[in-house]
Amino acid sequence: MYIVPISSAITPLDILSQNETAAADKSKTDSPSFADVFREVITDVTETQQVVNEDSARLVMGEIDDLHTIYNNLTKAEIAVETFVAVKDACQQSYDQIMQMSM
């Protein structure tokens, strides 16, 4: 049986503090910007709408037998659009409030 010496298993405190500051700096730079979030919402709406359009075409052609898949995709698209509208409304309200501020 091999025994690990205590001195090699203990990390110095200065190394731990450097790791914590590096993690804090990383979390600051890794947070998504508003443009990234808004772009992701728009992409989600576009993708779900494309899936619904493809499902509709496949349903008309008789290629789909399970309607629950179409319903689930339609619900996802509806939620994506509602999320997009909510984000857009929040942006517009924020902009209006900023414009009403006196300087």
Side-chain angles (χ1 to χ4, degrees):
M1 171 161 73
Y2 180 73
I3 298 174
V4 178
I6 280 184
S7 62
S8 67
I10 299 174
T11 56
L13 289 178
D14 59 342
I15 292 175
L16 290 176
S17 65
Q18 289 174 357
N19 290 342
E20 289 175 2
T21 56
D25 292 340
K26 184 178 179 184
S27 67
K28 289 178 185 175
T29 58
D30 286 345
S31 63
S33 67
F34 175 76
D36 293 336
V37 172
F38 200 71
R39 195 174 300 120
E40 183 179 334
V41 169
I42 292 173
T43 303
D44 191 33
V45 168
T46 305
E47 289 174 357
T48 55
Q49 289 295 329
Q50 287 175 352
V51 169
V52 167
N53 290 341
E54 291 171 4
D55 285 348
S56 299
R58 290 175 43 205
L59 180 65
V60 169
M61 300 297 274
E63 297 174 359
I64 293 181
D65 295 330
D66 54 342
L67 293 177
H68 68 279
T69 303
I70 294 173
Y71 180 75
N72 289 341
N73 291 338
L74 186 63
T75 304
K76 288 179 187 177
E78 181 181 356
I79 291 171
V81 170
E82 288 175 1
T83 304
F84 171 73
V85 170
V87 169
K88 184 221 32 118
D89 289 344
C91 294
Q92 187 172 7
Q93 289 174 356
S94 299
Y95 177 78
D96 291 341
Q97 288 177 355
I98 291 171
M99 294 307 291
Q100 292 176 358
M101 288 181 185
S102 62
M103 293 191 183

